[in-house]
Amino acid sequence: MPLRLDAVDRRIVRELMSDGALTNVALAKRVGLSAPPCLRRVRALEDAGVIQGYTALIDEKALGFELTAFALVGLHNQAEQDLRSFENRVLGWPMVRDAYMLSGESDYILKCVAPDLTAFQDFVLKELTAAPNVASVKTNLAIRRAKLAPGVPMSAPDGD
């Protein structure tokens, strides 16, 4: 069951999703609180697991990662131990930035970033398809990103 947030908590979450580098003073001003109660609320949201951490959004291409690709992975076996084993292997692959277990035709989708097509192909051939229990891999190259919206859609019941 989702945690119930009041309007101020929702404003705090929206502001931090928009700019996680806000100082507490700036955040407090934006949400209409003084700094100490704002910090208490942020800490409570962190303690409750609503806010799991803070990170910077990175332009992959600016750092030399020209290729984004998605790999749909099918496994031979889907027993829990086999799923965990594959997930543990995924954790060790730096090129894989996001991984989701799926329902349907494929078992996992992996979002990968690579410097170029050759590096991605090497990963697919030498690591991914060679991994134990991997039955199939289908890849798709991203042409461009049409949307990036980290977090969740937040609307306030009071319309702000």
Side-chain angles (χ1 to χ4, degrees):
M1 184 169 186
L3 183 66
R4 297 238 181 235
L5 304 179
D6 67 16
V8 174
D9 289 334
R10 294 179 77 78
R11 284 195 299 269
I12 288 170
V13 171
R14 274 197 316 274
E15 292 295 335
L16 288 175
M17 281 194 307
S18 174
D19 183 357
L22 277 175
T23 66
N24 183 59
V25 172
L27 177 61
K29 185 175 180 177
R30 287 188 186 184
V31 301
L33 293 174
S34 62
C38 182
L39 184 57
R40 280 193 296 275
R41 283 178 177 257
V42 169
R43 295 288 184 247
L45 290 165
E46 291 170 346
D47 291 343
V50 173
I51 299 172
Q52 295 182 343
Y54 301 87
T55 189
L57 294 177
I58 303 300
D59 180 342
E60 297 96 340
K61 289 183 179 8
L63 293 175
F65 292 87
E66 295 291 327
L67 182 110
T68 300
F70 296 88
L72 293 163
V73 180
L75 302 179
H76 289 291
N77 301 306
Q78 292 80 24
E80 186 62 28
Q81 181 178 351
D82 296 317
L83 298 172
R84 293 278 181 216
S85 178
F86 179 74
E87 290 172 2
N88 286 334
R89 186 171 292 274
V90 167
L91 294 173
W93 289 329
M95 192 175 291
V96 177
R97 305 314 301 160
D98 292 311
Y100 294 90
M101 185 180 183
L102 303 173
S103 65
E105 192 175 316
S106 297
D107 294 307
Y108 286 89
I109 187 168
L110 311 178
K111 177 189 172 196
C112 305
V113 296
D116 53 40
L117 183 57
T118 300
F120 179 65
Q121 287 173 322
D122 287 347
F123 165 72
V124 170
L125 295 173
K126 295 176 182 173
E127 300 285 339
L128 186 54
T129 59
N133 197 28
V134 170
S136 64
V137 176
K138 295 179 183 176
T139 60
N140 295 281
L141 302 181
I143 303 300
R144 68 176 169 228
R145 178 172 35 219
K147 181 177 182 178
L148 175 64
V152 298
M154 293 288 295
S155 61
D158 59 355
D160 68 352

